Amino acid sequence: MKRAFAASAALMLTLLPVAVLARPVTDCPLRDTPFSTEAPIVDLLLSPPAKAMLEADAPEIFTALPPRFFTTQAPTFAAILNLKALAKMKNLPADKMAALDAKLRALPVTAADKVARCARYDADRPTITLPRGKPRVLIFEKINGFRDGPSVDAARAAFQAMAQRKGWAVVVSDKGGVMTPALLRQFDAVVWNNVSGDVLTLAQRAAFKAYIEQGGGYVAVHGSSGDPSTFWPWYVDTLVGTQFAGHPMDPQFQDARIMVEGRSHPVAAGLPGEWVMNDEWYSFTANPRPGSSVIATLDEGSYKPGALAMGDHPIAWTRCVGKGRVFYSGIGHRPETYADPHYVTMLENAVTWASSRRSACPTVKPPAG
């Protein structure tokens, strides 16, 4: 009994808040980027001259979406949308956007602009001590874009419950500063919990990329597939393999049939051939199937994807990136999804699979012929 209690206590210690050392951020990815219609809207709003230009030349921008979408304090939807994407979504005149782009590019990027752009990033390095002999998992929750608190909380609770059942050592962090070579080296897998927005500095990006390519594991759910506008091509193109394109809104949440395709894959162990869930169903800008092992697809005939129909519609898949193991699932907006026994099984299998460094990541074999 004492040994069991001690093991449980050691696991729970890793779930406690961790101390951090704050450092100023100077290497945020878009610090020196010219103003334009391709910049995140938040960076335009943070600049008084750029904001005044928007108000004078394109005031309809501010009525295209609810006012809460245009806040400058992260997390904010303005960090995951640019004017180019907004114009496409709302059919704003292309000639007006082109003229606005030219005027924005003529604005100088000042020292104050650079400080304001970097303020939503951090270099706070947690102090982490992990027990040996257990799979070690980081649940990463830094969000600069859209944050849906209930889904983040439900996913975290689900992963923590898995850790209790499986004996994983878990640390939860919402600090980008955890992405250093020394800290990442302590983990077998990193879970991106509904992460939205550009959240890593250039040094943190390099550390995370190297961690994956050298054999680290990555498990990501729902909002972590990129945003309407994304600013790290490697993340969406190579790591995830595609980018969020949208989801139905009429209605937003629908029953859909999930069909398990990769029955022989370890992530699919214990799953039925199909099941029905109610969620917000993502579509993607490209089919992730090339270079991926598809675990599950959506039956588009079982819900109403509308203009977002993909035909072949993967919703969960794995990839090999360098020596690293990658899993992504588009399921998980509604908190209830993280209590669905089939989905919990899939996620638990995914963390177990991604955490394994004992063998090389099995690459996808091209189809015969």
Side-chain angles (χ1 to χ4, degrees):
M1 177 67 73
K2 289 182 179 179
R3 285 196 298 269
F5 177 80
S8 176
L11 176 64
M12 290 306 294
L13 282 174
T14 67
L15 304 177
L16 296 176
V18 289
V20 298
L21 177 62
R23 302 167 184 265
V25 172
T26 58
D27 69 331
C28 60
L30 302 179
R31 185 192 67 178
D32 303 317
T33 304
F35 291 106
S36 74
T37 57
E38 296 181 350
I41 291 176
V42 66
D43 286 350
L44 306 181
L45 300 178
L46 287 167
S47 163
K51 182 181 179 183
M53 190 176 292
L54 299 187
E55 292 171 336
D57 291 14
E60 64 270 29
I61 288 170
F62 296 98
T63 59
L65 294 171
R68 64 185 175 85
F69 282 43
F70 295 100
T71 60
T72 56
Q73 183 67 42
T76 172
F77 198 81
I80 60 174
L81 189 66
N82 60 26
L83 293 180
K84 187 175 181 179
L86 180 61
K88 184 177 180 181
M89 289 167 53
K90 298 299 181 178
N91 296 314
L92 302 179
D95 55 346
K96 177 179 280 192
M97 288 298 106
L100 180 57
D101 183 73
K103 293 183 69 173
L104 285 168
R105 289 180 183 276
L107 289 175
V109 178
T110 68
D113 292 327
K114 296 177 183 181
V115 170
R117 292 176 179 187
C118 287
R120 60 184 180 271
Y121 298 83
D122 75 81
D124 303 345
R125 297 184 181 179
T127 300
I128 295 171
T129 302
L130 287 166
R132 294 186 177 183
K134 298 175 178 286
R136 298 162 297 177
V137 180
L138 170 65
I139 301 176
F140 181 60
E141 297 182 352
K142 184 172 179 65
I143 297 173
N144 281 338
F146 176 74
R147 188 182 195 280
D148 184 76
S151 60
V152 172
D153 295 344
R156 182 194 316 117
F159 283 114
Q160 288 176 327
M162 293 174 207
Q164 289 287 344
R165 291 193 299 272
K166 304 291 287 186
W168 304 335
V170 171
V171 168
V172 180
S173 179
D174 64 355
K175 300 299 181 182
V178 76
M179 298 291 178
T180 69
L183 292 176
L184 286 171
R185 198 175 299 124
Q186 299 186 53
F187 295 100
D188 298 301
V190 178
V191 174
W192 283 51
N193 181 9
N194 284 283
V195 173
S196 171
D198 193 57
V199 296
L200 302 184
T201 67
L202 293 175
Q204 292 160 7
R205 284 183 179 185
F208 179 66
K209 181 173 180 287
Y211 164 78
I212 295 297
E213 292 176 340
Q214 293 167 11
Y218 165 88
V219 171
V221 292
H222 196 60
S224 303
S225 63
D227 302 291
S229 301
T230 188
F231 305 96
W232 189 10
W234 177 84
Y235 182 89
V236 292
D237 295 340
T238 301
L239 188 68
V240 178
T242 189
Q243 180 184 344
F244 166 80
H247 58 75
M249 286 300 296
D250 187 22
Q252 179 178 0
F253 303 111
Q254 303 182 43
D255 284 345
R257 186 164 69 108
I258 299 169
M259 301 177 294
V260 178
E261 176 178 320
R263 301 297 298 277
S264 63
H265 197 289
V267 174
L271 295 179
E274 61 181 62
W275 80 94
V276 174
M277 290 183 73
N278 184 279
D279 201 16
E280 172 189 80
W281 298 112
Y282 275 10
S283 291
F284 305 97
T285 56
N287 193 314
R289 190 175 293 276
S292 302
S293 291
V294 174
I295 304 299
T297 60
L298 290 181
D299 174 6
E300 291 187 337
S302 66
Y303 77 110
K304 299 176 180 177
L308 292 165
M310 295 176 61
D312 175 30
H313 195 141
I315 197 64
W317 58 87
T318 66
R319 294 172 67 82
C320 296
V321 177
K323 297 178 181 179
R325 297 179 175 222
V326 169
F327 170 85
Y328 171 76
S329 167
I331 304 168
H333 183 92
R334 297 182 69 236
E336 293 85 348
T337 62
Y338 298 100
D340 181 283
H342 301 316
Y343 192 43
V344 169
T345 294
M346 180 189 287
L347 294 179
E348 193 170 289
N349 290 345
V351 175
T352 301
W353 175 82
S355 299
S356 176
R357 293 174 180 244
R358 289 172 293 182
S359 59
C361 183
T363 55
V364 179
K365 295 180 180 179

